[in-house]
Every structure is written in C-alpha cells, then in structure tokens.
C-alpha cells in the first residue's frame, strides 16, 4: 500500500511555513528582503521543476512568461489604474492564454527539439519587447530604456506574495507525488512513447502543467517588477534567469518537491555571503560549489537530506 502524505518531512515543512508566516514580526528589513528573494527564486525554480522534473520536458523559455507577467502587470497598473494584486492576477491569466496557444504546438516536440524551440521563443519574445514601442502605436515596454513603476508603500506585501507563490508550487509538487495526474506525468517523463502507447494523453498532461507553471511564473514576474519599481526587457526576458532556475533545481534535486526551495535558499545565501566578501571572485567560488555538488551529490541537496534521514532511521532500527 502506497504511503500518503503528509509524511514526517511534510509536517516539518508545514511547521517551517508557519514560522515563515510570523518571521517579519521579529526581524529587520534586510533579512526579510533576503527571504523574499529566496521565495521568488524558489517559486520560479519550482515552476520549472514541475515540467522538467516530473514530465521530463526541459523548457528553456520560462522567461517568456516572467517578462509577460511583468509588463502586463505594469500596463494594467499604469494605463488602467488597477491595483497591484488585481493586475498581477490578470497578467497570470494572460500568460496562461499565451502558454496554451504556445504549448499546443511546441509540446509535441520531444527532447532537444523542445528545449531549442523554447529557447528560440524566449529570444524572440525579448526582441519583440525591445522593439514593441517602435513598431506599434501603443507604448508598453519602453524599449531598451524600460519603464518605471510607482514606488511601493512597503516590503511586507511582497514577502507574503512570494511566500504564497513558493508555498503553492511546493504543495502542487507534493500533490503530484501520489495523484493520478502525477503518475501519468512520471510515466511520460520515464518513457513518453511507451506512455502514449499505453493510452496516456501525454500532450494534454504536459500542456496542463505548462499552462499552470506559466501562471505562477507570470505572477512572480509581475510581483518582482513592482517590487523593484523598474522593468527592463533585457532583464525580464534574460536567458540568465532561466539558467538560474535550472541550476537551483539541479542543486536542490530535480523532480523533488523541496529541491527547488533548498537550491534557491542555498544559492541565494551563498551568493549573498561570498558577494559581500569576494566582490571580484565570488562567481568562481559559486561555480566550484555547483560543480562539487553535481559531482558528489548528483541527486542534489534533497537527496543528501533523504539519505541522512534513511541512515538515521536504519540506525534507530
């Protein structure tokens, strides 16, 4: 009989989440900012992990929905005058519609063809955003100069929005472990041709996951843009964001619910620590750390934690 969650690990995660809800009450602004950055990257990496880790589809273009969410949120706030949360939610809906239209043909591609196709899509979206104001009569992206948003009234709202996004993605990953939908995705990830021959509608499963992850990525992009009060197409659609999502997921553990959270926390904290002490060389140190983890812990930080837990259990037995 399969074990259903919540497991002991899930209860620990729930306790940590409860602590995070109260964390801003007892610490200063700087730790809250660092925590918000971790939540943001955990939500982005977790969204990427849903498709790549469970369905085996390596998407190299998630920044399409990050940039789309940022610019649509800004447009609704500046042009229409809608509140931030309403604008971000509508931007997520727009991203879902675009993801459905894009995913319907592209998700039929397999392996490297899908990865290359989504990477080309991301680059095309960036060039379109840079040229939008010059090619259309509707000013929206500000070209290479970008656009500025009104300064927010505080930082607490961004903390809780990013925490909610991270929590939602993590809960979705936990649900996929023992749901019928998740079993179908794992069958697709292990052997999509065999799964299709067995009657699994692999295209519909991957498209549902693709559309859902686009919604979260767009919400994160809109929240991050308003938090920084500045959006630039070169940064909002930057391929480096995609690569950072990939690295964080692989560091934490591909295809695991808590891997992206661990990877985002680890890489953010290490970058913050080394960046303030070794301004010109910290990227080299981070590269060495990433290579070391990849060599000695191919299953990521989540795999190390799971191995330690199993050894404790065996020792107690």
């Amino acid at each position: 009989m399969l074990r259903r969650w919540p497991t002991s690990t899930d209860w620990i995660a729930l306790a940590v989440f409860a602590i995070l809800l109260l964390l801003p009450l007892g610490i200063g602004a700087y730790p809250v900012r660092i925590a918000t950055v971790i939540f943001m990257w955990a939500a982005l990496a977790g969204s990427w992990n849903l498709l790549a880790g469970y369905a085996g589809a390596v998407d190299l273009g998630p920044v399409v929905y990050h940039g789309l969410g940022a610019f649509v949120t800004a447009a609704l706030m500046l042009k229409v005058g809608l509140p931030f949360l309403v604008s971000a939610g509508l931007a997520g809906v727009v991203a879902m519609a675009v993801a459905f239209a894009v995913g319907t043909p592209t998700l039929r591609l397999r392996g490297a063809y899908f990865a290359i196709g989504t990477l080309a899509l991301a680059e095309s979206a960036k060039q379109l955003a840079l040229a939008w104001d010059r090619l259309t009569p509707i000013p929206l992206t500000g070209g290479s100069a970008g656009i500025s948003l009104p300064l927010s009234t505080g930082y607490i709202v961004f903390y809780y929005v990013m925490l909610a996004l991270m929590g939602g993605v993590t809960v979705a990953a936990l649900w996929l472990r023992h749901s019928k939908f998740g079993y179908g995705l794992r069958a697709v990830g292990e052997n999509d041709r065999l799964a299709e021959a067995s009657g699994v509608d692999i295209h519909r499963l991957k498209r549902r996951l693709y559309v859902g992850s686009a919604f979260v990525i767009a919400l994160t992009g809109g929240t991050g843009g308003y938090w920084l009060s500045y959006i630039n197409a070169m940064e909002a659609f930057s391929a480096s964001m995609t690569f950072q999502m990939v690295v964080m997921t692989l560091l934490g553990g591909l295809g695991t619910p808590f891997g992206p959270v661990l990877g985002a926390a680890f890489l953010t904290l290490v970058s913050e620590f080394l960046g303030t002490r070794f301004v010109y060389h910290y990227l080299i140190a981070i590269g060495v750390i990433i290579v070391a983890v990849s060599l000695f812990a191919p299953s990521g930080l989540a795999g190390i934690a799971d191995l330690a837990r199993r050894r404790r259990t065996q020792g107690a037995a």
Side-chain angles (χ1 to χ4, degrees), residues 16-17 19-24 27 31-47 155-170 216 220 227 248 260-261 264-265 268:
V16 171
F17 186 80
I19 293 172
L20 292 175
L21 287 174
L22 303 175
L23 190 63
I27 61 175
V32 170
R33 185 187 71 82
I34 297 298
T36 306
V37 172
I38 293 174
F39 300 159
M40 179 188 73
W41 282 113
L44 291 172
S47 299
Y155 56 86
I156 297 297
V157 62
F158 302 109
Y159 175 92
Y160 284 112
V161 171
M162 294 297 189
L163 177 61
L165 292 172
M166 179 190 72
V169 170
T170 305
V216 177
T220 308
W227 183 28
M248 287 177 171
V261 178
T268 301

Side-chain angles (χ1 to χ4, degrees), residues 105-236:
T106 58
L107 285 169
R108 296 189 183 277
L109 301 173
R110 285 185 166 96
Y113 296 102
F114 176 72
I116 294 172
T118 53
L119 181 62
L121 176 66
E123 184 61 28
S124 300
K126 181 173 69 175
Q127 297 303 323
L128 176 61
L130 289 170
W132 179 273
D133 287 9
R134 180 164 42 87
L135 299 176
T136 68
I138 305 173
L140 182 62
T141 63
S144 59
I147 58 175
S148 298
L149 282 79
L151 293 175
S152 59
T153 56
Y155 56 86
I156 297 297
V157 62
F158 302 109
Y159 175 92
Y160 284 112
V161 171
M162 294 297 189
L163 177 61
L165 292 172
M166 179 190 72
V169 170
T170 305
V171 169
L174 289 168
W175 173 73
L176 286 176
R177 291 191 305 180
H178 298 298
S179 66
K180 181 179 178 181
F181 183 68
Y183 290 143
L185 287 174
R186 281 198 291 276
V188 172
E190 292 176 3
N191 191 323
D192 58 347
R193 296 184 186 277
L194 182 60
E196 188 175 27
S198 302
V200 178
D201 190 345
I202 64 173
H203 184 252
R204 182 176 62 88
L205 290 178
K206 290 194 292 186
R207 186 173 60 187
R208 287 172 61 185
L209 204 60
Y210 185 70
V211 170
S213 63
F215 177 75
V216 177
I217 292 172
L219 281 176
T220 308
T223 304
Y226 183 42
W227 183 28
L228 297 176
S229 70
Y230 174 73
I231 304 172
N232 181 282
M234 289 294 293
E235 298 176 359

Side-chain angles (χ1 to χ4, degrees), residues 29-83:
Y30 176 73
V32 170
R33 185 187 71 82
I34 297 298
T36 306
V37 172
I38 293 174
F39 300 159
M40 179 188 73
W41 282 113
L44 291 172
S47 299
W48 185 86
N49 179 56
L50 291 178
L51 191 65
Y54 291 88
V58 180
D59 179 13
L60 295 182
V63 290
V64 171
Y65 307 109
H66 179 272
L68 183 66
F71 281 112
V72 172
T73 300
L76 292 175
M77 292 178 66
L78 297 175
K79 307 292 184 181
V80 185
L82 294 178

Side-chain angles (χ1 to χ4, degrees), residues 26 35 52 84 89 96 101 148 157 168 190 195-196 202 228 239 243 271 275 279 285 291 294-295 312:
F84 156 62
M96 290 177 68
S148 298
V157 62
E190 292 176 3
E196 188 175 27
I202 64 173
L228 297 176
F243 298 143
S271 300
V279 179
V291 171
S294 301
L295 288 175
R312 286 199 307 268

Side-chain angles (χ1 to χ4, degrees), residues 3 8 134 140 164 237 259 267 286:
R3 183 178 61 179
S8 58
R134 180 164 42 87
L140 182 62
F237 292 95
L267 196 58
I286 291 175

